Amino acid sequence: MTGIRLAACAEMLYLDLPFLDRIKRIADRGLLVEIWDWSSKDVESLAASGAEFSSMTGYLTGNLTEPEGIADLLASARRSLEVAERLDCPRLNLHGTGLGEGGLPVRPVQVVTPAMWLTAANTLRQVAELGAQAGRTFVLENLNLAVDHPGTPFATAADTLALVRAVDHPNLRLNLDLYHAQIGEGNLIELVTEALPYIGEIQVADVPGRCEPGTGEINYPAVAAALKRIGYTGVVGLEAWAADDPDAALEAFEAAFTAAG
């Protein structure tokens, strides 16, 4: 699909291979590579792999609203920027709060108050300034509450879009995850159209199951056609498990996002 670059998440594909080999398999297909927690990786080996990285985790601990959590988030964001420089990775991913085992929030929140919204926006302004100083962009990812991440504040696509709009800084964009959005909100074509000015990256997987396009209910060729129509020229990343064979999963992903021409 003209103007769009495709990426794939090494954390979820080729799970029988060592991590560095996963990266090489993805890169050998001409795809960008996405990773999660850099602190568990051999960063020097990743940097020497020859792969081109698209995104990585932008923090290790902390949250957007509590004084100690904000300090932790900003400190680990600074460390993440150092690693992003080493990997030449342009985007660093954030969530509404720190996620722990199984993707559950470290400190679940059931009610988000107006004061928490204001504090979160202020924290994200500080994060965006760190990104600007380093020449990198932080991206705030939407999550779903119903299946994978119950209790996460600022989780929906509407939440993340509201925060990024409020901060209105070029070094803070959306990581618009359409798998999570389908579970939480649906109406994906209208969503990408509304969010277009604020999108830093789009991630995809099908629903249910979080596998590659074609395994569930989302019409990804129609989404791809809509992205072409509205002029999206960024990255689309496959953050999905392979239903069976990882090579077949990547072929299905590539087919879904090249069919629009």
Side-chain angles (χ1 to χ4, degrees), residues 59 61-71 73-74 94-98 115-127 140 153-155 160 163 172:
Y59 72 113
T61 58
N63 58 59
L64 298 175
T65 59
E66 299 170 335
E68 184 176 343
I70 292 168
L73 187 147
L74 294 174
L94 302 169
H95 305 110
T97 190
M116 291 170 68
W117 277 96
L118 293 172
T119 303
N122 183 59
T123 303
L124 289 169
R125 283 188 194 93
Q126 296 178 71
V127 171
L140 183 62
F154 315 108
T160 54
L163 283 169
L172 179 71

Side-chain angles (χ1 to χ4, degrees), residues 3 7 13 21 30 65 87 188 190 217 228 230 238 249:
L13 296 167
D21 291 341
T65 59
L87 297 180
L188 299 184
E190 289 297 322
E217 68 192 20
K228 179 182 179 183
I230 64 177
L238 180 68

Side-chain angles (χ1 to χ4, degrees), residues 181-253:
Q182 174 70 4
I183 293 172
E185 295 146 286
N187 205 17
L188 299 184
I189 290 175
E190 289 297 322
L191 174 60
V192 297
T193 302
E194 179 186 3
L196 178 65
Y198 302 97
I199 296 174
E201 180 170 337
I202 292 172
Q203 290 184 329
V204 302
D206 220 331
V207 176
R210 202 174 188 180
C211 294
E212 68 270 13
T215 58
E217 68 192 20
I218 302 177
N219 185 346
Y220 272 117
V223 172
L227 292 176
K228 179 182 179 183
R229 185 170 62 252
I230 64 177
Y232 178 70
T233 57
V235 171
V236 175
L238 180 68
E239 190 181 45
W241 311 108
D244 185 15
D245 175 63
D247 288 314
L250 287 171
E251 288 168 9
F253 166 58

